[in-house]
Amino acid sequence: MNIVICKNYLEMSCQVAGIVAESIREHVDLKLGLPTGETPKAMYAELVKLFREGNLDFSETVTFNLDEYVGLSSVDPNSFRCFMNENLFDHINIRSSNIHFPDGISECFEDECQAYEDSIQKAGGIGLQLLGIGRNGHIGFNEPGDFIRDITSKVNLTEDTINANARFFKTPSEVPSTAVSMGIGTIMRAKSIILMANGDSKAQAVKEAVKGPITPHLPASLLRLHPDVTFFLDREASSLLEAK
Ligand code: GLP
């Protein structure tokens, strides 16, 4: 795995946006796996800037988001779909038919999850998968546990993740406790993976992902088994890597 330590959040975001832009220029129909959360916001803002300056064309780009909350429709302001509209999709020339999202209000999650996997495969697989990381080392919504989920699945969120996500909701009781998430296998089948992490609150998870045992108890550690993965970190998130 590769590790790039950036001097701050903005530099990390611009470097990753630069790689995404370069990948889109090289492969106009790039299949891009996308995360939500605070971490990728400035990277998305940089992509929007590059588009507005006329330096980037998303007309053939195809996206697959990592996850969605169960119970929230695509127009719910707290849905990840709304987050993506606000932070990226509404500001670029991506075709709506090229945007893929797990359906949080499906009537049959088993079928929905399989259909999501099929649509990724039909598109030829994900070329570049971007990730954030949870404080407990989760990727997408693959929480720490005794086993690895291969494909997109309906998952239960841990207390820690529910608490971490409460900041986006008006009241804690509104925070969903289940979600639909790409599986670890879905993520690992991407040709290339970039994980971004910034801030002190991610330092421990980053340290364990990079230096600890490779285990489903720290899902991001499994990324070390991938042949092309790079962690982009700011100084705070990388601060425990040198420590014994
Ligand atoms: C959520 C998302 C993850 C994201 C993580 C970290 O749980 N499902 O994809 O990486 O939170 O979020 P943040 O970037 O806000 O710290």
Side-chain angles (χ1 to χ4, degrees):
M1 73 180 301
N2 304 306
I3 298 177
V4 179
I5 299 174
C6 306
K7 66 173 190 284
N8 56 40
Y9 172 63
L10 200 61
E11 188 191 289
M12 178 192 85
S13 306
C14 289
Q15 282 206 33
V16 174
I19 293 171
V20 175
E22 218 28 67
S23 306
I24 292 173
R25 288 183 198 117
E26 264 175 46
H27 309 277
V28 275
D29 63 343
L30 181 73
K31 314 301 181 294
L32 195 53
L34 296 175
T36 49
E38 283 299 325
T39 308
K41 275 188 173 175
M43 187 272 298
Y44 289 143
E46 181 65 17
L47 289 179
V48 171
K49 187 169 152 237
L50 291 172
F51 169 72
R52 287 192 175 139
E53 289 168 352
N55 291 321
L56 204 49
D57 175 14
F58 292 88
S59 60
E60 302 298 324
T61 311
V62 177
T63 63
F64 291 91
N65 261 80
L66 275 167
D67 44 21
E68 182 56 280
Y69 287 118
V70 165
L72 302 194
S73 79
S74 58
V75 295
D76 189 300
N78 286 316
S79 67
F80 285 158
R81 176 58 199 256
C82 261
F83 172 97
M84 288 305 304
N85 289 347
E86 281 164 20
N87 285 280
L88 184 67
F89 298 149
D90 285 352
H91 312 291
I92 59 174
N93 66 335
I94 191 165
R95 288 188 212 165
S96 59
S97 56
N98 283 348
I99 296 171
H100 299 84
F101 243 93
D103 180 5
I105 52 165
S106 172
E107 281 178 6
C108 176
F109 283 103
E110 211 179 318
D111 289 354
E112 165 60 24
C113 291
Q114 190 56 56
Y116 201 60
E117 284 296 317
D118 293 346
S119 62
I120 292 172
Q121 265 186 28
K122 206 172 143 209
I126 291 170
L128 175 60
Q129 176 68 57
L130 305 178
L131 297 172
I133 183 171
R135 298 187 303 203
N136 61 4
H138 74 233
I139 47 176
F141 266 138
N142 292 277
E143 296 281 31
D146 292 336
F147 62 94
I148 295 170
R149 279 200 176 76
D150 179 16
I151 67 162
T152 302
S153 312
K154 185 178 170 198
V155 296
N156 294 322
L157 306 181
T158 62
E159 193 113 350
D160 185 58
T161 299
I162 295 169
N163 292 337
N165 292 337
R167 65 202 141 122
F168 298 110
F169 293 79
K170 277 199 207 95
T171 61
S173 62
E174 279 178 61
V175 192
S177 56
T178 51
V180 186
S181 174
M182 281 187 194
I184 293 287
T186 325
I187 293 168
M188 295 290 272
R189 283 187 284 277
K191 283 192 194 75
S192 176
I193 300 176
I194 290 178
L195 181 145
M196 290 172 281
N198 66 289
D200 292 328
S201 68
K202 303 294 173 68
Q204 185 62 28
V206 166
K207 179 187 166 190
E208 288 175 38
V210 173
K211 293 182 139 189
I214 296 176
T215 164
H217 290 280
L218 203 295
S221 68
L222 299 165
L223 296 171
R224 283 173 21 222
L225 299 171
H226 192 280
D228 182 4
V229 60
T230 307
F231 280 24
F232 278 82
L233 311 171
D234 73 349
R235 284 202 181 124
E236 286 78 17
S238 68
S239 59
L240 299 179
L241 289 183
E242 295 308 320
K244 283 191 187 140

